[in-house]
Amino acid sequence: MRLSPAQIWRTRIPRYRLIGKECKKCGRRHYPPRPACPYCGSRELIEVELPRTGVIESFTVIYTVMEGFKDRAPLIIATVKLDDGTRVVAPITDAEPEDVRTGMRVEAVLRRIRDDGSYGLIGYGTVFRPTILVHKTS
Amino acid sequence: MARDSGIVSWGAYVPRYRLKAEEIVNLWGWDSNIPKNLNVAEKAVENVDEDSITMGFEAAYNAILRANINPKRIGAVFFGTESKPYAVKPSATVIAEALGVTPATMASDLEFACRAASEGLRSALALVESKYIEYGLVIGSDTAQANPGDVLEYTASSGAVAFIVGPSKEAAAILEGVYTYVTDTPDFWRRGLSPYPKHGEAFTGEPAYFSHIEGAVRGLMESLGLKPDDFDYAVFHQPNGTFPLRVGRRLGFPKEKILPGLVTPLIGNTYNASALIGFARVLEQARPGQRILVAPFGSGAGSDAYSFVVTDRVNGLRGKAPRVDDYINAKKYVSYAVHAKMRGLYRRIAN
Amino acid sequence: MTRVYVSGVGLTKVGRHFDKGLIDLAAEAAFKAIDEAGVEPEALVVGNMMSSSLQHQDNLGAYIANSIGLRGIPAFKVEAACGSGGAAVHAAFNMIKSGVYNAVLVVGVEKMTDHPTAVVTEALAQAADAEYELFYGASFTGLNALMMRYYMEKYQVSRREMSYWPVMMHKNAVANPYAQIRREIKLEDVEKSQVVADPIRLLDSSPIGDGAAAVLLVSENIVSKLAEKPIVEVAGSAMATDTVELSNRESLDAMPAAAQAAKKAYKMAGVEPRDIDVIEIHDAFTINAIVLLEELGFAPRGQAAKQLAEGRFAPGDKPTANPSGGLKARGHPVGATGVYQVAEVVMQLRGDFPGVKVDKAEIGLTSNIGGDGSSLIVHVLKRV
């Protein structure tokens, strides 16, 4: 996939920081951000930084990967329900397919998604990994 | 005696995957005693979707989480690495954007082999003291390269560390002094189009590592009027598991003061994060009032020696983000073959 | 408003036609439809998804019209991913309804075997959101797999219950001369087949193949002049859409656009689900068929797979589902599929379908999906 400088630039905030939108009319949030609310059609939206943790709602392990993903096969893709209820479709990283379950808690991390060959651009984005780190309080 | 700047918070990142030294022994036909001689049993290696930018981001994210500050108040982002994903195009801007620090900030990638991040730390401390910026973010991150089959492979590893630098009244560790020692010493280098570094083997030791670290540490102690006994911890650059202990011995620091900050035996040499991850680990156990010596080193060559004094703010910060040991302990072993795939060492052609 | 009739149909066998390009395939189907109808088309609507990404060929309307002896006529392509064919029929239907055109030829055509699987997989994934799904490597099969797992877990549907669909499709296709795969399979074969994107296995998935299908739609004006009158009417034609991105859907176990389109089409045709004798529905993956059976009103939510396992929807039942073998076994040349479905149901209603026949079928339905539920086209066809 050829990566366009303008497209990488345009999408960087939602992709890096999980910025979605919240509808001022119906109150629902969505991702990726759209010019009108996908649920009620209202154009009165505000940008929101979505929570970086959630649970796996559904997942797949892709063995027949598309061009550019052979080094990641099998690729795990999930729908993640963030803690505020917003759904995100994203890869699951740092996990073995046999350990992934629906209902598993995951956290957002920034990762390298695609390379446009050795000389082109690198595309970064948000993916999720199992919340493996226990935050001990002292 | 303390200056008006210090470490407000820290964050680390070590990737999940580990490569055992014995894999390298078996693959390249080495003598099996080499890992023991280097005091490195295994090393941390990045996943296929990681690079110095993504690892640096996570360390910096942890540092901001721990500091609990608005990223917009950060006025400088310094990224020290010798494994830049782009040769030209800053990594610091990707991280700054992802953290929400942009646009009113300085941002740059620094290069001084393994010492680039330390130069960034010196600069950020100075910018804070001079009141040019309120907070500075310093990141050291590397997916260190080694020519397959080179002895460097045992140690060259992946990891990242970040510090929020700010005024001493907010610091968990206040800067007491810093002394830098640099000369033109060609012990280790990588030319522009080369994928791997070359090095002077034994020449990397005495004239490079030892003479520069000793020069910096002696200079620091002399300028502050301190002796090794005055320090509770000493953290040196750690290209392997033995050099830091030896340089400590020569400077008069006992093993017990060095071991808490010695992480290379567990995760390998993370280059720009090497001594600084050790420093972060020490901050996760030091008590208020204790004094820490930190001495990063970079080939080419130079060393900075810092003295930090821990404050009582340190206690409240530890549990606010994942600790160094959380990452060190969360590990999964991979074979050399899988590591080679994750690192893109196989030459595939497109469909 | 005029009524719309189907005066001719034409199909190519679906398969790996390495010796045929877009034009060759389109011509074969179009010539059959035109010759059967005995009517000169006034306009051409092409249903196609991937000519741009796989053949680097755009401007498909003019390209095909002027290559198959229809020099000069208005012609354009309609694209709605795998729903392109159904959307093309819907467009042609409305062109005739509007009174501007009296005879519109619809040709669905897709040429998929020019490239390796990884390249075709990436092209197919363009049906999804390029910036937020395709970019991250979410293949089209992968996105459908997300729906399949969700459905199975939510309704406690077993792998075995899902396996009945592909087995029935393979059985139905054996007698269909146009089908890509004419080989019976067992439940165990499905369950042992290669995993493409867990839980979707190879035998849950439609094969990659080339093909073209054509239907010639005409107005009452044309019919009144014909000696031999067409006997199948397009009684309902409707389309509805949903978000392309799976993230902003209401639920992963539903395709509400299918229910919306069906409701409109049923109303136009004045029929209800229980009146329908034969259906050709979109089963690019097993899960598509299961969800469609529910959305179209043939099974309660969460029950379609269980009913299939009990023998529903097989030949002899009402409705009979996919006597052609469906996308699973007849094949799925993506942009042509919606036209295949309409042509096959027309033949069922006329009684001349050359495969599994649905006796005395009076009313039929087709349902074509674009994307993983984002473009839904439903047609109701009636014998007059």
Side-chain angles (χ1 to χ4, degrees), chain A residues 1 7 14-15 28 30-32 34 39 57-61 63-64 67 69 75 77 87 102 113-114 126, chain C residues 118 122 129 131-132 134-137 142 145-146 149-150 153 196-198 245-250 252:
Chain A
M1 181 186 243
Q7 193 183 34
R15 279 187 186 159
R28 292 181 71 175
H30 69 272
Y31 182 90
R34 298 298 190 213
Y39 302 107
E57 177 189 34
S58 186
F59 71 94
T60 180
V61 184
Y63 293 88
T64 304
E67 183 68 14
F69 285 84
L75 177 69
I77 298 278
R87 187 193 289 122
T102 54
I113 310 300
R114 277 177 181 262
T126 297
Chain C
E122 184 169 24
D129 184 302
E131 291 182 338
Y132 292 90
L134 173 75
F135 175 74
Y136 289 94
L146 293 169
R149 181 186 304 279
Y150 185 83
E153 290 190 358
V196 180
D198 186 47
E245 69 284 6
L246 210 50
S247 60
N248 292 328
R249 296 278 175 81
E250 288 287 359
L252 298 183

Side-chain angles (χ1 to χ4, degrees), chain C residues 46-51 53 77-88 108-110 112 122-129 140 144 239 241-242 244 249 282 284 327 332-339 368-377:
Chain C
V46 177
N48 169 272
M49 175 183 176
M50 302 191 290
S51 69
S53 49
K77 161 173 160 175
V78 167
E79 189 276 312
C82 311
S84 299
V109 60
E110 201 74 57
M112 299 175 74
E122 184 169 24
L124 283 168
Q126 291 182 203
D129 184 302
F140 198 58
N144 280 281
M239 179 170 183
T241 60
D242 202 343
V244 164
R249 296 278 175 81
H282 193 103
L327 285 63
H332 181 30
V334 290
T337 292
V339 187
N368 187 200
I369 306 176
D372 43 27
S374 44
S375 292
L376 257 298
I377 304 96

